[in-house]
Amino acid sequence: MNFGRLCREGFAGYDPIGTLEAIAKQRTAEARGVELRVDGLLPSSVEEGKKAGITDIDVLEATDYYKTSRGSKPHGATSAMFSHRAAAVDWDAFSNAETLLTQPLLVVIGDKPGGFGAYRDGQEIYGRAASKKKELLVVEGWSHYDLYDKPEPVQQALKRVIPFFIENL
């Protein structure tokens, strides 16, 4: 997934310039002593997300993963200081992929797209990569977050990942 794109689109409401201006204003205020602004990036629970009207599969499944014992870690990345996010807004994980990404590449995505864009990003990096040897594996019936730790889609992915690594590492 291209976290920079997610920051420009989802977290910035498709207004990266406005977001950068707000970040600069917040950073100046914090330098003058205003309390740090820490934004929660996910609802506190899936139930709270649904109560708030959230229906996007990525937000709800990320919440189910990162806000439960499945993936919760002390100091996990479910919140961020607003004034420190400018670099992420400007960053592009796929920058120069057409030139520099020449190693063998296997992209694994689930076929259930959500708002964070992992499905779209998987398709994009596959298309943009300069790799002469590249494959796109779409695991049907599963989402991005299912591929983290659910046995059935992970096993489906590993059936291709293991031979690909044996052949290319």
Side-chain angles (χ1 to χ4, degrees), residues 65-83:
Y65 183 80
Y66 289 111
K67 296 285 190 163
T68 68
S69 60
R70 279 180 67 203
S72 178
K73 301 287 183 238
H75 310 293
T78 60
S79 62
M81 286 182 52
F82 183 69
S83 61

Side-chain angles (χ1 to χ4, degrees), residues 85-124:
R85 292 190 0 220
V89 172
D90 184 47
W91 182 61
D92 184 349
F94 299 166
S95 177
N96 297 309
E98 299 86 346
T99 303
L100 301 176
L101 184 50
T102 60
Q103 300 82 3
L105 175 68
L106 172 61
V107 178
V108 180
I109 56 175
D111 74 342
K112 293 182 178 178
F116 291 173
Y119 179 85
R120 178 178 82 180
D121 288 346
Q123 299 276 351
E124 179 183 343

Side-chain angles (χ1 to χ4, degrees), residues 7-149:
C7 288
R8 287 184 296 282
E9 293 178 4
F11 295 150
Y14 291 88
D15 182 14
I17 299 302
T19 298
L20 288 171
E21 290 168 350
I23 288 170
K25 185 176 180 179
Q26 178 67 25
R27 192 173 45 237
T28 298
E30 289 174 4
R32 293 180 176 150
V34 168
E35 187 175 334
L36 300 176
R37 174 180 159 185
V38 178
D39 293 341
L41 303 176
L42 297 171
S44 59
S45 69
V46 172
E47 295 75 27
E48 289 300 316
K50 287 180 179 179
K51 281 183 193 175
I54 296 170
T55 59
D56 181 76
I57 187 174
D58 277 350
V59 176
L60 296 176
E61 290 190 3
T63 301
D64 182 56
Y65 183 80
Y66 289 111
K67 296 285 190 163
T68 68
S69 60
R70 279 180 67 203
S72 178
K73 301 287 183 238
H75 310 293
T78 60
S79 62
M81 286 182 52
F82 183 69
S83 61
H84 290 198
R85 292 190 0 220
V89 172
D90 184 47
W91 182 61
D92 184 349
F94 299 166
S95 177
N96 297 309
E98 299 86 346
T99 303
L100 301 176
L101 184 50
T102 60
Q103 300 82 3
L105 175 68
L106 172 61
V107 178
V108 180
I109 56 175
D111 74 342
K112 293 182 178 178
F116 291 173
Y119 179 85
R120 178 178 82 180
D121 288 346
Q123 299 276 351
E124 179 183 343
I125 195 62
Y126 173 77
R128 287 178 55 185
S131 307
K132 298 219 183 316
K133 170 124 174 93
K134 59 184 176 179
E135 296 180 26
L136 176 66
L137 172 61
V138 180
V139 183
E140 294 184 18
W142 300 96
S143 71
H144 174 78
Y145 291 95
D146 291 333
L147 288 165
Y148 280 16
D149 63 347

